[in-house]
Amino acid sequence: MNHTFSLDILASDKKFFSGRAEFIAIPSSDGEMGVLPHHQNMIAAIVPGIMRYRTEDGQTLEASVSAGIAEIMNNRVKIFVLSAERPEDIDINRAKEAKELAEERIRQKHSQQEYLLSQLAVQRAMSRLSAASKYRSLK
C-alpha cells in the first residue's frame, strides 16, 4: 500500500510546493486538521495559520498560510491559499507593522466587513510572526 499522497500547495502568486507527502496539518476554524494517505474525499476551509507537512523523504516543513481551501480527492491534496511563506522568508519587522496596522483598523470600528478583514489580517500577521520566531530560535 502506498503511504504517500500527491500534494500541491498553490498560492495566488506561485506554486509553493508540488510533490508527494506522508502527512499535512492544515489550520482550520476548528483547530488543526490532519490528512494522511487515502483520506476521505472532502473540501475544507483554511484559516490563517501555520501549516505543517511531511514530504515522502521524511522532511517536515512548515509554512505560514493565509485563508483558502483544501481539496482532498482520490489520494490527492490541493491547497489553494492567497499566500504561503516559509518561515525563513518572513520579514519580522514587516509582519509586526502589518499586525499593528490591522489592530488599529479594528480599533477604528468601521463596517462589519472591514472589521472581519482586519481580524483576518491580524491572524495572518500573528501566524507569520510565530513561524518566523520559531524558525529563528532553532537556528
Side-chain angles (χ1 to χ4, degrees):
M1 180 182 242
N2 188 356
H3 297 291
T4 63
F5 54 87
S6 172
L7 175 62
D8 289 305
I9 303 171
L10 306 165
S12 60
D13 62 340
K14 65 187 170 214
K15 182 181 269 192
F16 185 79
F17 176 84
S18 184
R20 306 288 305 168
E22 298 176 344
F23 169 80
I24 187 165
I26 303 163
S28 74
S29 58
D30 293 333
E32 196 173 67
M33 183 182 92
V35 177
L36 293 169
H38 309 288
H39 193 283
Q40 177 180 358
N41 293 345
M42 66 183 298
I43 294 182
I46 297 173
V47 298
I50 306 232
M51 179 177 64
R52 293 178 298 111
Y53 57 101
R54 188 171 46 247
T55 61
E56 68 182 331
D57 62 4
Q59 184 179 18
T60 300
L61 302 169
E62 288 188 347
S64 173
V65 295
S66 64
I69 61 169
E71 176 189 70
I72 304 157
M73 297 282 176
N74 302 323
N75 210 36
R76 292 185 186 108
V77 177
K78 291 183 181 178
I79 304 292
F80 302 95
V81 291
L82 293 173
S83 67
E85 296 175 281
R86 289 176 178 79
E88 61 269 25
D89 295 337
I90 295 171
D91 180 338
I92 290 180
N93 291 328
R94 196 172 131 235
K96 284 180 184 177
E97 288 172 9
K99 178 179 175 273
E100 290 167 7
L101 180 63
E103 288 172 338
E104 179 58 33
R105 286 194 320 246
I106 287 173
R107 283 191 290 275
Q108 292 176 2
K109 298 181 182 167
H110 291 289
S111 71
Q112 182 69 16
Q113 181 181 4
E114 289 172 335
Y115 176 78
L116 293 172
L117 290 172
S118 296
Q119 279 188 318
L120 283 173
V122 168
Q123 290 174 349
R124 180 173 180 260
M126 292 189 60
S127 72
R128 292 176 74 227
L129 287 168
S130 175
S133 297
K134 192 172 167 183
Y135 172 77
R136 284 170 177 77
S137 70
L138 295 174
K139 286 184 94 180

